[in-house]
Amino acid sequence: MFEGTLFHVDMSFDNILDVFDILEDPAITDSVGAEMMLALLVETQHHILPPIKRFELLGAIFHELIQETMPEVVAYDVQGNPIIPKKVEGEEDETLQQNYSLSHDAGFIYTSFMQAYHIDLHDQFGELHWNKFKMLLRDLPDDTMFARVVEIRQRKLSDIKDAKERSHVKKLK
């Protein structure tokens, strides 16, 4: 429910992953990206909202359902479209920093779900809910490739005393 209107939101994991792909694509402008994300997430009635309200709806979906943070809006252009500051290449944002990427690590995630749960994620398109996917991803056993990759990325090189091991971990990262 958003401002008195009930919107059906498609929360299948593959749909949410597509939303993140749009969010991460630097070639897609903010207003076009917001429209693309809403088209994936919400049935067509979101078009009845003015552009500012559409972006607020998208923010509410992220906050309430996806539970990830949306980039902050700093201003609106003359047409009412949100302007989101672009991240500078190489700039680190520790609050959003993760040790994995849903898109870049998709292969590791896929094989780890097969290994641990015998779930073929391709067969789950449109079926597996985003929240269930997140819980299964979070709880993957340590012997899966995805869990090993995350563990390597979490290791701090400064904590490794042996120069040979530090070099090896640096190469793996």
Side-chain angles (χ1 to χ4, degrees), residues 1-9 34-35 37-39 41-66 70 73 76 82:
M1 181 77 71
F2 179 78
E3 296 193 352
T5 303
L6 183 62
F7 292 95
H8 171 74
V9 180
E35 286 298 321
M37 288 185 277
L38 278 173
L41 292 168
V42 181
E43 292 177 355
T44 57
Q45 75 248 31
H46 75 275
H47 292 293
I48 63 173
L49 299 171
I52 292 172
K53 292 295 181 184
R54 289 182 204 161
F55 196 77
E56 289 175 11
L57 171 61
L58 189 59
I61 291 169
F62 267 78
H63 178 72
E64 297 294 325
L65 300 175
I66 299 174
M70 283 266 305
V73 174
Y76 293 93

Side-chain angles (χ1 to χ4, degrees), residues 52-153:
I52 292 172
K53 292 295 181 184
R54 289 182 204 161
F55 196 77
E56 289 175 11
L57 171 61
L58 189 59
I61 291 169
F62 267 78
H63 178 72
E64 297 294 325
L65 300 175
I66 299 174
Q67 297 175 347
E68 301 284 337
T69 57
M70 283 266 305
E72 290 295 316
V73 174
V74 294
Y76 293 93
D77 65 18
V78 294
Q79 296 172 330
N81 297 312
I83 299 171
I84 301 170
K86 296 291 182 192
K87 186 175 176 183
V88 177
E89 187 68 32
E91 178 184 278
E92 289 295 322
D93 182 353
E94 293 182 25
T95 60
L96 297 177
Q97 186 178 8
Q98 288 184 318
N99 294 306
Y100 65 91
S101 163
L102 292 171
S103 57
H104 291 112
D105 295 326
F108 294 135
I109 294 168
Y110 176 82
T111 57
S112 295
F113 269 63
M114 285 291 288
Q115 176 187 342
Y117 309 124
H118 306 290
I119 294 174
D120 184 332
L121 288 174
H122 290 267
D123 291 344
Q124 295 299 310
F125 283 0
E127 300 294 325
L128 182 63
H129 193 278
W130 171 246
N131 290 334
K132 186 174 182 181
F133 171 81
K134 287 193 318 182
M135 288 185 283
L136 291 169
L137 181 67
R138 178 196 67 205
D139 294 338
L140 279 168
D142 292 339
D143 67 337
T144 61
M145 183 57 95
F146 178 74
R148 285 186 276 191
V149 166
V150 170
E151 189 274 327
I152 289 168
R153 290 179 185 156

Side-chain angles (χ1 to χ4, degrees), residues 4-40:
T5 303
L6 183 62
F7 292 95
H8 171 74
V9 180
D10 181 351
M11 290 297 296
S12 59
F13 85 99
D14 53 303
N15 197 45
I16 305 301
L17 294 179
D18 288 343
V19 167
F20 283 127
D21 285 343
I22 292 168
L23 197 57
E24 293 174 3
D25 190 336
I28 299 175
T29 64
D30 298 332
S31 58
V32 171
E35 286 298 321
M36 290 172 67
M37 288 185 277
L38 278 173
L40 283 170

